[in-house]
Amino acid sequence: MWKADNWQEYELIDTSDGERLERWGKYILIRPDPQVIWHNQKKNPLWKRADAVYRRSSSGGGAWKENRLPEEWRLPYGNLSLEFVIKPMGFKHTGLFPEQAVNWDWFSSLIKKAGRPIKVLNLFGYTGGATVAAAKAGASVCHVDAAKGMVLQCKENAKLCGLSDAPIRYIVDDCKKFVEREIRRGNKYDAVIMDPPSYGRGPSGEVWKLEENIDDLVLLTAQVLSDDPLFFLLNSYTTGLSASTTGYLLNLHIAKKYGGKVTADEIGLPVTETGAVLPCGSSARWESQ
């Protein structure tokens, strides 16, 4: 498993009974997590002193309870000199997935060592954790997400990281349709970061299911790779879609043409209280040799 263990301001303190106990800077949060199927004793006193708890509703959705949080605050990731806006949202999110730091570290090193300009396409870019990491490493980045609010938060994160003038394009668009237009325009990229949702709806109401659409999307996106690509990163949070499966896709559609190597594994966060690692989805990585 690839562990995001370089955080200082974020900490996964404990897990039990379907919940995480987390520290986000100076604030303590309790959030649900379906991976936490165990019922170990909650010995840490912070379980009873959280600044906010996200409770699911029996009718669907949920809300933040016992909420003593500010509307937003800042969280640094010192390993790459990054800083992010943390903003508790609906459906338990905070605007950042800390486990992805293990991927930021990986591709930042590749970009820095490339010895040439690197152009990155970040699809389903959300609030831009990967975008600012790539830009900080020296790449030019095209950030694409269908949600305008997420793209605006990416801009805010870029500003916090001292990247207001960095070569970042911010695109509010359907990712598949954007890639199709980039192919027609003949635009190419040296690297792709792809973090598609498990389920969603397209611009015309069509249903998106990752396991049914990801093969076509990877095959399509492979067409915008340059003649000398550096890496391709595919993330998945879909239960039942293994790292080996997404790794197979990259072998089939990327390595078969460009050579290089594919690695795939779960990604996770170390749990302070137990010393174990909580699985948080998986990633498949292709990199040139």
Side-chain angles (χ1 to χ4, degrees):
M1 182 183 288
W2 294 319
K3 295 181 288 185
D5 54 6
N6 286 322
W7 282 99
Q8 294 180 335
E9 293 301 316
Y10 170 84
E11 180 186 8
L12 181 51
I13 302 167
D14 199 7
T15 60
S16 184
D17 296 324
E19 293 181 319
R20 298 183 183 193
L21 177 67
E22 303 170 293
R23 178 176 64 85
W24 295 79
K26 65 179 182 179
Y27 299 106
I28 304 300
L29 277 62
I30 296 175
R31 297 190 296 158
D33 191 316
Q35 297 277 15
V36 181
I37 61 173
W38 41 89
H39 308 285
N40 54 293
Q41 187 177 356
K42 296 179 177 179
K43 296 180 180 179
N44 195 297
L46 291 175
W47 280 108
K48 297 180 180 179
R49 299 206 301 267
D51 295 294
V53 180
Y54 188 91
R55 299 295 186 196
R56 293 197 183 280
S57 169
S58 58
S59 58
W64 292 95
K65 304 293 184 181
E66 306 155 36
N67 193 342
R68 295 184 293 275
L69 300 173
E71 184 175 335
E72 62 180 57
W73 66 95
R74 307 290 181 261
L75 189 79
Y77 182 57
N79 199 50
L80 296 176
S81 300
L82 302 175
E83 191 167 5
F84 301 99
V85 177
I86 302 302
K87 190 182 299 186
M89 306 175 184
F91 196 62
K92 77 177 182 180
H93 293 314
T94 62
L96 192 70
F97 291 89
E99 63 271 11
Q100 287 297 329
V102 71
N103 284 323
W104 307 339
D105 291 342
W106 168 72
F107 65 67
S108 293
S109 178
L110 293 179
I111 292 168
K112 291 174 182 177
K113 293 177 181 177
R116 58 186 172 96
I118 298 298
K119 187 177 177 184
V120 176
L121 175 61
N122 185 13
L123 297 173
F124 310 95
Y126 193 50
T127 58
T131 290
V132 297
K136 196 76 170 184
S140 60
V141 187
C142 181
H143 176 97
V144 187
D145 197 282
K148 183 178 180 180
M150 297 300 100
V151 176
L152 289 174
Q153 191 164 333
C154 177
K155 286 186 179 181
E156 193 173 351
N157 284 330
K159 183 178 180 180
L160 284 176
C161 295
L163 297 168
S164 294
D165 298 323
I168 303 173
R169 291 174 63 201
Y170 301 95
I171 306 293
V172 180
D173 202 351
D174 174 79
C175 289
K176 182 180 179 183
K177 292 187 180 301
F178 177 78
V179 171
E180 290 171 340
R181 285 196 293 275
E182 290 291 85
I183 291 170
R184 292 195 293 270
R185 288 187 285 245
N187 287 338
K188 298 291 185 179
Y189 297 86
D190 303 298
V192 169
I193 300 166
M194 187 185 294
D195 201 346
S198 298
Y199 179 86
R201 291 191 179 273
S204 302
E206 62 272 23
V207 175
W208 159 277
K209 291 184 178 179
L210 184 65
E211 60 270 29
E212 296 176 3
N213 293 275
I214 190 61
D215 179 63
D216 289 341
L217 185 59
V218 172
L219 183 59
L220 180 74
T221 307
Q223 296 180 55
V224 300
L225 286 174
S226 66
D227 292 334
D228 186 20
L230 183 65
F231 70 86
F232 196 116
L233 172 64
L234 174 58
N235 292 308
S236 171
Y237 287 92
T238 303
T239 303
L241 192 63
S242 70
S244 297
T245 300
T246 52
Y248 193 99
L249 284 176
L250 296 193
N251 268 303
L252 188 64
H253 298 315
I254 311 298
K256 187 175 180 180
K257 178 178 180 180
Y258 293 102
K261 68 175 182 178
V262 172
T263 52
D265 208 338
E266 290 182 294
I267 58 175
L269 290 164
V271 181
T272 303
E273 195 74 18
T274 64
V277 181
L278 178 69
C280 304
S282 64
S283 295
R285 304 167 173 176
W286 171 84
E287 60 183 285
S288 59
Q289 293 283 45

PDB file of all heavy atoms in Angstrom, residues 246-262:
ATOM      1  N   THR A 246      -7.565  -1.269 -12.604  1.00  0.00           N
ATOM      2  CA  THR A 246      -7.173  -0.002 -13.223  1.00  0.00           C
ATOM      3  C   THR A 246      -5.742  -0.074 -13.760  1.00  0.00           C
ATOM      4  O   THR A 246      -5.423   0.535 -14.777  1.00  0.00           O
ATOM      5  CB  THR A 246      -7.317   1.155 -12.224  1.00  0.00           C
ATOM      6  OG1 THR A 246      -6.623   0.839 -11.005  1.00  0.00           O
ATOM      7  CG2 THR A 246      -8.780   1.409 -11.905  1.00  0.00           C
ATOM      8  N   GLY A 247      -4.893  -0.836 -13.073  1.00  0.00           N
ATOM      9  CA  GLY A 247      -3.545  -1.047 -13.597  1.00  0.00           C
ATOM     10  C   GLY A 247      -3.563  -1.766 -14.940  1.00  0.00           C
ATOM     11  O   GLY A 247      -2.781  -1.452 -15.845  1.00  0.00           O
ATOM     12  N   TYR A 248      -4.468  -2.723 -15.082  1.00  0.00           N
ATOM     13  CA  TYR A 248      -4.608  -3.446 -16.348  1.00  0.00           C
ATOM     14  C   TYR A 248      -4.982  -2.482 -17.467  1.00  0.00           C
ATOM     15  O   TYR A 248      -4.466  -2.582 -18.591  1.00  0.00           O
ATOM     16  CB  TYR A 248      -5.677  -4.531 -16.211  1.00  0.00           C
ATOM     17  CG  TYR A 248      -5.686  -5.539 -17.337  1.00  0.00           C
ATOM     18  CD1 TYR A 248      -5.079  -6.775 -17.180  1.00  0.00           C
ATOM     19  CD2 TYR A 248      -6.296  -5.258 -18.542  1.00  0.00           C
ATOM     20  CE1 TYR A 248      -5.082  -7.713 -18.201  1.00  0.00           C
ATOM     21  CE2 TYR A 248      -6.307  -6.178 -19.581  1.00  0.00           C
ATOM     22  CZ  TYR A 248      -5.701  -7.410 -19.404  1.00  0.00           C
ATOM     23  OH  TYR A 248      -5.701  -8.326 -20.431  1.00  0.00           O
ATOM     24  N   LEU A 249      -5.884  -1.533 -17.174  1.00  0.00           N
ATOM     25  CA  LEU A 249      -6.278  -0.550 -18.180  1.00  0.00           C
ATOM     26  C   LEU A 249      -5.082   0.264 -18.665  1.00  0.00           C
ATOM     27  O   LEU A 249      -4.940   0.515 -19.870  1.00  0.00           O
ATOM     28  CB  LEU A 249      -7.329   0.403 -17.593  1.00  0.00           C
ATOM     29  CG  LEU A 249      -8.750  -0.110 -17.437  1.00  0.00           C
ATOM     30  CD1 LEU A 249      -9.606   0.940 -16.749  1.00  0.00           C
ATOM     31  CD2 LEU A 249      -9.336  -0.456 -18.798  1.00  0.00           C
ATOM     32  N   LEU A 250      -4.228   0.679 -17.733  1.00  0.00           N
ATOM     33  CA  LEU A 250      -3.065   1.468 -18.139  1.00  0.00           C
ATOM     34  C   LEU A 250      -2.064   0.627 -18.917  1.00  0.00           C
ATOM     35  O   LEU A 250      -1.411   1.119 -19.849  1.00  0.00           O
ATOM     36  CB  LEU A 250      -2.398   2.105 -16.914  1.00  0.00           C
ATOM     37  CG  LEU A 250      -3.229   3.125 -16.139  1.00  0.00           C
ATOM     38  CD1 LEU A 250      -2.338   3.899 -15.171  1.00  0.00           C
ATOM     39  CD2 LEU A 250      -3.974   4.076 -17.055  1.00  0.00           C
ATOM     40  N   ASN A 251      -1.933  -0.630 -18.559  1.00  0.00           N
ATOM     41  CA  ASN A 251      -1.083  -1.521 -19.362  1.00  0.00           C
ATOM     42  C   ASN A 251      -1.617  -1.646 -20.784  1.00  0.00           C
ATOM     43  O   ASN A 251      -0.862  -1.619 -21.756  1.00  0.00           O
ATOM     44  CB  ASN A 251      -1.009  -2.910 -18.714  1.00  0.00           C
ATOM     45  CG  ASN A 251       0.168  -3.042 -17.766  1.00  0.00           C
ATOM     46  OD1 ASN A 251       1.317  -2.845 -18.152  1.00  0.00           O
ATOM     47  ND2 ASN A 251      -0.119  -3.364 -16.519  1.00  0.00           N
ATOM     48  N   LEU A 252      -2.937  -1.792 -20.880  1.00  0.00           N
ATOM     49  CA  LEU A 252      -3.574  -2.028 -22.171  1.00  0.00           C
ATOM     50  C   LEU A 252      -3.523  -0.809 -23.076  1.00  0.00           C
ATOM     51  O   LEU A 252      -3.230  -0.911 -24.276  1.00  0.00           O
ATOM     52  CB  LEU A 252      -5.034  -2.440 -21.933  1.00  0.00           C
ATOM     53  CG  LEU A 252      -5.847  -2.916 -23.125  1.00  0.00           C
ATOM     54  CD1 LEU A 252      -5.260  -4.208 -23.695  1.00  0.00           C
ATOM     55  CD2 LEU A 252      -7.303  -3.129 -22.707  1.00  0.00           C
ATOM     56  N   HIS A 253      -3.817   0.385 -22.508  1.00  0.00           N
ATOM     57  CA  HIS A 253      -3.993   1.571 -23.334  1.00  0.00           C
ATOM     58  C   HIS A 253      -2.807   2.525 -23.358  1.00  0.00           C
ATOM     59  O   HIS A 253      -2.708   3.358 -24.257  1.00  0.00           O
ATOM     60  CB  HIS A 253      -5.234   2.344 -22.877  1.00  0.00           C
ATOM     61  CG  HIS A 253      -6.506   1.565 -23.006  1.00  0.00           C
ATOM     62  ND1 HIS A 253      -6.817   0.830 -24.133  1.00  0.00           N
ATOM     63  CD2 HIS A 253      -7.548   1.403 -22.147  1.00  0.00           C
ATOM     64  CE1 HIS A 253      -8.010   0.255 -23.968  1.00  0.00           C
ATOM     65  NE2 HIS A 253      -8.449   0.577 -22.775  1.00  0.00           N
ATOM     66  N   ILE A 254      -1.902   2.422 -22.376  1.00  0.00           N
ATOM     67  CA  ILE A 254      -0.769   3.351 -22.321  1.00  0.00           C
ATOM     68  C   ILE A 254       0.556   2.616 -22.528  1.00  0.00           C
ATOM     69  O   ILE A 254       1.302   2.905 -23.460  1.00  0.00           O
ATOM     70  CB  ILE A 254      -0.733   4.116 -20.980  1.00  0.00           C
ATOM     71  CG1 ILE A 254      -2.102   4.709 -20.643  1.00  0.00           C
ATOM     72  CG2 ILE A 254       0.333   5.206 -21.042  1.00  0.00           C
ATOM     73  CD1 ILE A 254      -2.626   5.712 -21.623  1.00  0.00           C
ATOM     74  N   ALA A 255       0.836   1.640 -21.665  1.00  0.00           N
ATOM     75  CA  ALA A 255       2.130   0.945 -21.745  1.00  0.00           C
ATOM     76  C   ALA A 255       2.296   0.188 -23.054  1.00  0.00           C
ATOM     77  O   ALA A 255       3.414   0.063 -23.571  1.00  0.00           O
ATOM     78  CB  ALA A 255       2.275   0.000 -20.558  1.00  0.00           C
ATOM     79  N   LYS A 256       1.221  -0.324 -23.585  1.00  0.00           N
ATOM     80  CA  LYS A 256       1.297  -1.075 -24.839  1.00  0.00           C
ATOM     81  C   LYS A 256       1.844  -0.215 -25.969  1.00  0.00           C
ATOM     82  O   LYS A 256       2.563  -0.696 -26.854  1.00  0.00           O
ATOM     83  CB  LYS A 256      -0.094  -1.610 -25.213  1.00  0.00           C
ATOM     84  CG  LYS A 256      -0.096  -2.540 -26.410  1.00  0.00           C
ATOM     85  CD  LYS A 256      -1.488  -3.116 -26.627  1.00  0.00           C
ATOM     86  CE  LYS A 256      -1.505  -4.061 -27.828  1.00  0.00           C
ATOM     87  NZ  LYS A 256      -2.856  -4.633 -28.051  1.00  0.00           N
ATOM     88  N   LYS A 257       1.536   1.094 -25.937  1.00  0.00           N
ATOM     89  CA  LYS A 257       2.014   2.010 -26.976  1.00  0.00           C
ATOM     90  C   LYS A 257       3.344   2.653 -26.627  1.00  0.00           C
ATOM     91  O   LYS A 257       4.232   2.780 -27.477  1.00  0.00           O
ATOM     92  CB  LYS A 257       0.959   3.092 -27.226  1.00  0.00           C
ATOM     93  CG  LYS A 257       1.389   4.128 -28.266  1.00  0.00           C
ATOM     94  CD  LYS A 257       0.300   5.150 -28.515  1.00  0.00           C
ATOM     95  CE  LYS A 257       0.751   6.177 -29.552  1.00  0.00           C
ATOM     96  NZ  LYS A 257      -0.309   7.191 -29.813  1.00  0.00           N
ATOM     97  N   TYR A 258       3.512   3.054 -25.350  1.00  0.00           N
ATOM     98  CA  TYR A 258       4.654   3.879 -24.980  1.00  0.00           C
ATOM     99  C   TYR A 258       5.734   3.130 -24.205  1.00  0.00           C
ATOM    100  O   TYR A 258       6.787   3.712 -23.912  1.00  0.00           O
ATOM    101  CB  TYR A 258       4.188   5.062 -24.121  1.00  0.00           C
ATOM    102  CG  TYR A 258       3.329   6.037 -24.878  1.00  0.00           C
ATOM    103  CD1 TYR A 258       1.940   6.033 -24.713  1.00  0.00           C
ATOM    104  CD2 TYR A 258       3.879   6.981 -25.739  1.00  0.00           C
ATOM    105  CE1 TYR A 258       1.127   6.936 -25.393  1.00  0.00           C
ATOM    106  CE2 TYR A 258       3.079   7.886 -26.426  1.00  0.00           C
ATOM    107  CZ  TYR A 258       1.707   7.854 -26.247  1.00  0.00           C
ATOM    108  OH  TYR A 258       0.908   8.757 -26.925  1.00  0.00           O
ATOM    109  N   GLY A 259       5.490   1.859 -23.861  1.00  0.00           N
ATOM    110  CA  GLY A 259       6.453   1.159 -23.017  1.00  0.00           C
ATOM    111  C   GLY A 259       6.334   1.641 -21.593  1.00  0.00           C
ATOM    112  O   GLY A 259       5.238   1.904 -21.109  1.00  0.00           O
ATOM    113  N   GLY A 260       7.462   1.767 -20.903  1.00  0.00           N
ATOM    114  CA  GLY A 260       7.428   2.214 -19.522  1.00  0.00           C
ATOM    115  C   GLY A 260       6.908   1.141 -18.588  1.00  0.00           C
ATOM    116  O   GLY A 260       6.880  -0.050 -18.926  1.00  0.00           O
ATOM    117  N   LYS A 261       6.457   1.556 -17.404  1.00  0.00           N
ATOM    118  CA  LYS A 261       5.992   0.570 -16.425  1.00  0.00           C
ATOM    119  C   LYS A 261       4.704   1.050 -15.760  1.00  0.00           C
ATOM    120  O   LYS A 261       4.455   2.249 -15.612  1.00  0.00           O
ATOM    121  CB  LYS A 261       7.058   0.302 -15.368  1.00  0.00           C
ATOM    122  CG  LYS A 261       7.345   1.461 -14.429  1.00  0.00           C
ATOM    123  CD  LYS A 261       8.333   1.052 -13.335  1.00  0.00           C
ATOM    124  CE  LYS A 261       8.592   2.205 -12.360  1.00  0.00           C
ATOM    125  NZ  LYS A 261       9.517   1.810 -11.276  1.00  0.00           N
ATOM    126  N   VAL A 262       3.908   0.081 -15.338  1.00  0.00           N
ATOM    127  CA  VAL A 262       2.666   0.351 -14.622  1.00  0.00           C
ATOM    128  C   VAL A 262       2.762  -0.270 -13.230  1.00  0.00           C
ATOM    129  O   VAL A 262       3.168  -1.424 -13.088  1.00  0.00           O
ATOM    130  CB  VAL A 262       1.446  -0.228 -15.363  1.00  0.00           C
ATOM    131  CG1 VAL A 262       0.186  -0.099 -14.503  1.00  0.00           C
ATOM    132  CG2 VAL A 262       1.255   0.469 -16.701  1.00  0.00           C
TER     133      VAL A 262
END
